[in-house]
Amino acid sequence: MSLKDIVTENTTQNIRLMILKALEEDPDYSHNDTVLQSILQLVGLGVSRDKLRTELTWLSEQGLITIEDNNGVMVAKLNARGEDVALGRSRVPGIA
């Protein structure tokens, strides 16, 4: 595995964890993709909207969040399994 591959994999895993943590800290356990993109930018993990939506879809497929499309705005909501991962009570391969 090349250095570039390692950095890309680690960055993706950190993005996924930060999304879960951001959702866990919200009183409603949810954010839209614009807010999540801003949060990631603030912590040095800036991503395109396409990359963010790809990661939200991945997290949904893992059963950690639900996503809803509201007129072109993707809204992510943390579920109990995702909360466990965000708080470090459980681990999922592919998440830092």
Side-chain angles (χ1 to χ4, degrees):
M1 182 179 280
S2 73
L3 179 58
K4 180 182 177 186
D5 292 339
I6 292 169
V7 170
T8 300
E9 182 177 327
N10 286 341
T11 300
T12 298
Q13 291 178 2
N14 284 317
I15 288 167
R16 292 169 180 166
L17 180 59
M18 185 52 61
I19 290 168
L20 294 177
K21 286 180 177 261
L23 295 172
E24 191 278 325
E25 290 182 8
D26 183 73
D28 292 331
Y29 298 104
S30 66
H31 282 302
N32 66 47
D33 54 356
T34 301
V35 171
L36 289 169
Q37 190 176 27
S38 295
I39 290 168
L40 291 171
Q41 181 69 38
L42 286 172
V43 297
L45 294 169
V47 295
S48 67
R49 185 168 308 268
D50 184 58
K51 170 70 172 163
L52 174 59
R53 287 179 172 203
T54 297
E55 297 311 328
L56 291 174
T57 300
W58 187 90
L59 290 167
S60 176
E61 289 170 351
Q62 305 313 303
L64 304 171
I65 66 171
T66 58
I67 48 178
E68 186 178 310
D69 186 325
N70 288 336
N71 297 319
V73 176
M74 190 175 276
V75 178
K77 184 163 180 83
L78 191 67
N79 63 28
R81 184 167 182 247
E83 181 181 19
D84 285 343
V85 174
L87 296 174
R89 295 188 293 227
S90 109
R91 299 258 317 146
V92 171
I95 300 176

